[in-house]
Amino acid sequence: MTRILLTVSCPVRPGIVAAISAYLAEQGCNIHDSSQFSDIDNDRFFMRLSFASEQGATRGALAGGFAGIATRFGADFAFHDPSEKMKVVIMVSRFGHCLNDLLYRWRIGALPIDIVAVISNHMDYQKVVVNHDIPFHCIRVTPANKPGAEAEQMRVVRESGADLIVLARYMQILSDEMCRDMSGRIINIHHSFLPSFKGANPYKQAFERGVKLIGATSHYVTADLDEGPIIEQDTVRVTHAQSPGDYVSLGRDVESAVLARAIHAHMHRRVFVNGDKTVVFPASPGEYASERMG
């Protein structure tokens, strides 16, 4: 049986779930997992279904037959092959904890993606990347060469066929043009529990304010710095006894986990952008399973 994912978003209208379910049943498909949400205030409906085609129907054939339903409900939709690995470019500067965590999860199959390149503005992680048989591109960035450097980065993205850019603690601000060109396809990890403690040293700010929780936020990148739709967040508890260095060490673990979870949600088509927010559905059965233990 062929497993397929269907994602749908449309205005909130009666009958959409019934129409989708009836159509799939008519095509000999068996729904295994389904999530839906209606944002009544914004008049937007979101749905994600995992199903199997027991008669071997192709995604193309299913999409062609679904077009009439989409027109009737004003729906945006896509049929996805979950076995196709999303192509990802990772960008990193001098903090390597997120990069190393992603490489490990990729190696054991916990993140079944295809890392097609790593781009950095420093040479620190060339060896570890090349040792994983992944192309490494060192593209230096200065105020004087920033437009040219970004053009070179986009060349790597285009030529590698990447579907997603992951900023794994990449400490350069992307241009508005790049953010627009890759809208909804750049994920960042912010070393703070947004929207609090923005800036270059949020852990120091948190320490000085005596906070009891620190955390991390993963979001889509937009032209508004650190204001993109949030995908995933998490926190860790701290006390008065911790030092600023402790905050940084504890923060590294949270950042790595939050970024990995955001990528996992995106690659499994579980994230829907809803204005300035997101709708993030739970994973289908088996989507957290790893191919190997280590």
Side-chain angles (χ1 to χ4, degrees):
M1 293 187 295
T2 303
R3 182 168 171 261
I4 299 173
L5 285 175
L6 170 61
T7 55
V8 179
S9 67
C10 65
V12 178
R13 298 292 183 270
I16 180 66
V17 175
I20 294 172
S21 301
Y23 173 75
L24 292 178
E26 290 166 2
Q27 302 303 311
C29 299
N30 185 23
I31 297 174
H32 293 172
D33 181 69
S34 177
S35 299
Q36 66 187 70
F37 173 70
S38 293
D39 183 347
I40 303 300
D41 292 338
N42 292 315
D43 188 29
R44 204 68 191 166
F45 171 83
F46 305 92
M47 191 173 193
R48 175 187 184 269
L49 300 97
S50 172
F51 64 92
S53 172
E54 299 184 349
Q55 297 178 3
T58 66
R59 286 187 295 147
L62 289 169
F66 194 80
I69 295 174
T71 299
R72 181 169 22 130
F73 290 96
D76 299 319
F77 74 96
F79 288 87
H80 308 276
D81 180 354
S83 68
E84 289 183 358
K85 293 184 177 181
M86 188 173 289
K87 294 183 177 181
V88 177
V89 167
I90 299 175
M91 297 177 68
V92 64
S93 290
R94 309 199 93 155
F95 297 98
H97 51 286
C98 288
L99 170 66
N100 281 290
D101 180 78
L102 294 177
L103 290 174
Y104 174 73
R105 293 175 191 265
W106 164 76
R107 190 168 68 244
I108 68 170
L111 277 179
I113 56 178
D114 185 7
I115 302 177
V116 292
V118 172
I119 297 173
S120 181
N121 51 334
H122 300 280
M123 291 293 291
D124 299 47
Y125 300 105
Q126 180 196 33
K127 186 174 181 180
V128 69
V129 171
V130 171
N131 285 346
H132 282 81
D133 295 322
I134 297 170
F136 178 85
H137 304 267
C138 182
I139 302 175
R140 305 283 186 181
V141 181
T142 67
N145 80 341
K146 192 174 180 70
E150 198 166 87
E152 180 66 11
Q153 293 165 357
M154 286 303 300
R155 182 192 64 80
V156 172
V157 171
R158 286 192 299 270
E159 292 183 359
S160 64
D163 307 295
L164 177 70
I165 297 174
V166 173
L167 306 183
R169 291 301 302 274
Y170 180 69
M171 307 304 287
Q172 294 286 332
I173 297 174
L174 304 184
S175 70
D176 292 357
E177 181 181 2
M178 186 171 180
C179 293
R180 286 192 298 268
D181 288 347
M182 295 294 293
S183 177
R185 295 185 293 153
I186 307 177
I187 293 177
N188 186 36
I189 183 66
H190 193 279
H191 49 303
S192 176
F193 193 58
L194 291 176
S196 300
F197 303 120
K198 300 179 184 180
N201 199 337
Y203 292 124
K204 184 173 184 293
Q205 297 175 54
F207 173 76
E208 291 172 347
R209 291 291 300 275
V211 304
K212 307 308 178 193
L213 290 171
I214 59 173
T217 300
S218 189
H219 62 92
Y220 288 116
V221 175
T222 64
D224 295 323
L225 183 62
D226 299 332
E227 297 290 341
I230 292 171
I231 307 169
E232 180 66 41
Q233 293 181 296
D234 205 353
T235 59
V236 61
R237 183 164 290 279
V238 293
T239 74
H240 62 277
Q242 263 86 61
S243 69
D246 292 331
Y247 280 34
V248 173
S249 295
L250 292 167
R252 281 199 296 260
D253 293 337
V254 182
E255 292 165 26
S256 299
V258 167
L259 180 59
R261 292 203 296 264
I263 296 169
H264 188 276
H266 178 90
M267 57 165 281
H268 283 294
R269 320 289 180 176
R270 295 193 284 115
V271 186
F272 294 75
V273 175
N274 182 23
D276 293 330
K277 302 186 294 183
T278 59
V279 172
V280 184
F281 287 128
S284 297
E287 288 182 345
Y288 285 117
S290 299
E291 297 171 359
R292 297 173 295 280
M293 290 300 294

